[in-house]
């Protein structure tokens, strides 16, 4: 069953068309990696799905609700604010640069949204946060502040924060791009573990070996288009597309 459906989505910034008629679906339990050169539209696509950017036209449905659609008259309409709020809870986003609250402890970074968005009681929110910190290998960091953590630790906290809201889908926007190479492995290991637990995930990444290893399906984007889509084996080993071959030859 598709948890996210993207149909004929277009997005421009001024005269620059960043997404050009994008269509695909993400199935429940699937790990989808999106690869491609910088500027190909990968991050913009994630931002449209998570409603951080608004599309110019097309349809996005998440968990059975329609976030946005374009009607027969060509008018693009977003869902009402209550539906949008409900949809937002279904998709977690882990940013490149962590986006933790610097003046909050690790514990409060993970519990704040639980208490204010989900209305989870404080004790229960703290229990959830503690369980997630153990899962991330950071049980001793509950009282630390972001500036006291390494980049890899901060990213693991941001993953825990996203998981605390119990999303149906977890999206990663180049989750290792702000990390030193030594710290990249620990984040990739966390994402791999989530994959073994059948977490539905969409991962924008420049880590080709990781994308090949973790994914059920891979999308290659270039110049705002989906150039190729298929299994990791088909895209990485048996591609017939010359643009994909040129891109992968650098890795």
């Amino acid at each position: 069953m598709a948890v996210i459906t993207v149909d004929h989505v277009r997005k421009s910034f001024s005269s620059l068309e960043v997404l050009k008629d994008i269509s695909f679906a993400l199935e429940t339990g699937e790990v989808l990696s999106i690869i491609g050169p910088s500027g190909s539209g990968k991050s913009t696509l994630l931002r449209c799905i998570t409603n951080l950017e608004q599309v110019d036209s097309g349809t996005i449905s998440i968990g059975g609700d329609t976030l946005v659609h374009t009607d027969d008259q060509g008018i693009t309409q977003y869902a009402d604010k209550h539906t949008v709020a409900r949809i937002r809870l279904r998709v977690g986003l882990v940013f490149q640069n962590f986006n933790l609250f610097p003046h909050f402890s690790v514990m409060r970074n993970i519990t704040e949204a639980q208490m204010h968005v989900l209305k989870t009681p404080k004790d229960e929110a703290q229990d959830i946060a503690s369980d997630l910190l153990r899962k991330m290998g950071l049980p001793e960091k509950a009282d630390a502040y972001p500036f006291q953590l390494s980049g890899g630790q901060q990213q693991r906290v941001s993953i825990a924060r996203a998981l605390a809201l119990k999303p149906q889908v977890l999206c990663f926007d180049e989750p290792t791009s702000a990390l030193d190479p030594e710290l990249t492995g620990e984040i990739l290991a966390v994402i791999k573990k989530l994959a073994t637990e059948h977490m539905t995930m969409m991962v924008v990444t420049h880590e080709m070996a990781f994308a090949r290893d973790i994914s059920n399906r891979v999308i290659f984007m270039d110049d705002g288009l989906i150039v190729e889509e298929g299994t990791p084996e088909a895209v990485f080993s048996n591609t017939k597309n010359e643009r994909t071959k040129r891109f992968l030859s650098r890795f």
Side-chain angles (χ1 to χ4, degrees), residues 65-85:
D65 284 324
T66 299
L67 172 66
V68 59
H69 76 284
T70 301
D71 63 23
D72 293 339
Q73 284 72 47
I75 299 172
T76 300
Q77 297 181 333
Y78 271 79
D80 63 83
K81 65 179 182 180
H82 298 294
T83 302
V84 169

Side-chain angles (χ1 to χ4, degrees), residues 227-228 233-246 248:
V227 175
E228 187 165 4
E233 177 70 18
V235 173
F236 287 104
S237 299
N238 297 309
T239 181
K240 304 297 191 292
N241 186 283
E242 288 302 320
R243 180 64 188 95
T244 310
K245 284 181 180 178
R246 288 200 307 276
L248 293 175

Side-chain angles (χ1 to χ4, degrees), residues 194-210:
L194 292 172
T196 66
E197 297 169 358
H198 306 292
M199 182 76 200
T200 308
M201 293 186 285
M202 190 180 308
V203 185
V204 168
T205 183
H206 287 299
E207 300 283 343
M208 294 301 108
F210 171 69

